Amino acid sequence: MKNKTKKLWIYFLTGMVLIISFFYFQNNSLVTTEYTITSKKLPPSFDGYRIVQLSDLHNKSFGKDQSRLVEKVIESKPDLIVFTGDLIDADTDDETPSLILMEKLVQIAPVYFVTGNHEWWSNQFDTLESSLKDIGVKVLRNEAEEVAVGDDQIFIAGIDDPANVTEREHEKAIMEERIGNLSEDINGHDQFQILLSHRPELFSLYTEHEFDVVFSGHAHGGQFRFPFVGGLIAPDQGFPPRYTSGTYTSSNTTMVVNRGLGNSVIPVRFLNRPEVVLVTLESAN
């Protein structure tokens, strides 16, 4: 009887170790996902242009001084790095892991950043924005900039997350106004246009304004992913969520939804490893 009890304990403890190891791997082992996006609007000088997208860090650390994450980015050899919100977490006061990451990234390639909901919920965005600018990060707030390679240019635009709106029911209307104003500023140009916006659920709005590529996050990959089903939980999308991971194309707009790096309200991921996205632009000309 004692031997049987001993064996049961061994099986139980072994099972617990395996389960803990599995979830540790799922939440800490980085994966790089690669996409190629082809466009007739892309100038020949940008053919092969490489953009790394990161999102939703939530102050998580990947090794000392973010070494594992930084190494993943370096391996991708980016020409440009974009971060699509929730760099910090509203429930964590220490921004050090996030700022360390940005300090490392600006040494690799130009870095563009837009806010997520957690930047606003933290009530610390003013100081964060100042720190990011001091580091050399380009914070886009309802504005666009030209990015040049040789004599060719494309536009990169960024939209503030609507979580800074006082009344939640007005969020969509505010986003429509912001994107409409931004679109008016740049649609007089024929250049290829990239939009950074934290929220993927507004894909129809991005398509309406004819952005060529949109980078989004927010959905955390649906948190729990299953084969043939996809993600199960994503904020502001209902059930089942529609935009959780990968690329989505409508008309001439392609949206890339990054699964993110950290966790927030739900502390674990399932079959949904932290993700670095690498997009290579390809000119059809």
Side-chain angles (χ1 to χ4, degrees):
M1 187 67 177
K2 289 183 178 179
N3 288 338
K4 186 176 181 180
T5 302
K6 184 178 180 180
K7 285 182 179 180
L8 287 174
W9 272 108
I10 291 172
Y11 293 151
F12 173 77
L13 293 174
T14 300
M16 289 299 296
V17 168
L18 290 174
I19 290 170
I20 291 170
S21 298
F22 172 79
F23 278 104
Y24 180 85
F25 178 81
Q26 286 293 306
N27 288 269
N28 293 278
S29 178
L30 291 158
V31 61
T32 300
T33 306
E34 299 187 27
Y35 305 106
T36 298
I37 296 176
T38 303
S39 173
K40 294 179 180 179
K41 288 177 61 179
L42 190 72
S45 297
F46 282 86
D47 188 51
Y49 195 79
R50 297 163 71 87
I51 301 174
V52 160
Q53 181 201 13
L54 305 175
S55 196
D56 299 270
L57 182 70
H58 290 280
N59 280 332
K60 184 176 175 65
S61 292
F62 290 90
K64 183 180 179 181
D65 293 336
Q66 302 286 11
S67 57
R68 291 193 292 113
L69 178 52
V70 171
E71 186 58 35
K72 276 287 185 185
V73 175
I74 291 172
E75 289 172 1
S76 297
K77 300 179 181 178
D79 298 295
L80 190 74
I81 300 168
V82 299
F83 200 107
T84 48
D86 285 0
L87 174 66
I88 61 173
D89 192 88
D91 294 327
T92 306
D93 292 331
D94 185 12
E95 299 173 353
T96 303
S98 299
L99 293 176
I100 286 175
L101 173 63
M102 292 310 221
E103 288 174 352
K104 301 288 186 181
L105 293 180
V106 296
Q107 299 174 39
I108 301 170
V111 179
Y112 286 85
F113 171 86
V114 292
T115 58
N117 49 301
H118 276 259
E119 274 77 30
W120 298 113
W121 290 351
S122 71
N123 295 315
Q124 300 180 54
F125 179 63
D126 287 345
T127 57
L128 176 65
E129 182 181 23
S130 178
S131 297
L132 291 174
K133 288 181 175 180
D134 289 344
I135 289 168
V137 175
K138 299 180 181 182
V139 181
L140 292 178
R141 302 196 57 195
N142 310 314
E143 58 190 323
E145 288 191 7
E146 282 190 334
V147 176
V149 173
D151 294 330
D152 293 325
Q153 298 86 30
I154 62 176
F155 272 109
I156 181 166
I159 294 291
D160 266 345
D161 187 84
N164 64 336
V165 177
T166 305
E167 298 180 17
R168 185 175 175 84
E169 61 267 24
H170 294 160
E171 288 184 352
K172 185 175 181 182
I174 289 294
M175 286 293 278
E176 289 176 346
E177 180 181 353
R178 289 174 180 171
I179 292 177
N181 292 338
L182 184 58
S183 185
E184 285 180 10
D185 290 340
I186 62 178
N187 273 352
H189 305 269
D190 293 329
Q191 283 106 321
F192 186 85
Q193 298 173 9
I194 295 171
L195 176 67
L196 310 182
S197 181
H198 186 59
R199 308 227 182 178
E201 67 270 16
L202 298 175
F203 182 41
S204 61
L205 183 59
Y206 311 145
T207 301
E208 177 185 335
H209 289 280
E210 300 180 337
F211 290 97
D212 298 289
V213 178
V214 181
F215 289 97
S216 289
H218 192 47
H220 290 208
Q223 206 71 45
F224 309 111
R225 297 189 66 81
F226 293 90
F228 310 111
V229 176
L232 296 186
I233 301 171
D236 306 301
Q237 290 196 46
F239 183 84
R242 185 174 181 182
Y243 306 113
T244 59
S245 174
T247 60
Y248 304 84
T249 300
S250 178
S251 299
N252 295 315
T253 300
T254 298
M255 180 173 68
V256 181
V257 182
N258 188 303
R259 296 200 306 271
L261 295 161
N263 298 312
S264 183
V265 177
I266 302 174
V268 295
R269 293 165 173 253
F270 180 77
L271 299 181
N272 180 24
R273 290 163 61 190
E275 181 178 51
V276 174
V277 165
L278 171 62
V279 169
T280 301
L281 301 181
E282 183 178 77
S283 175
N285 298 319

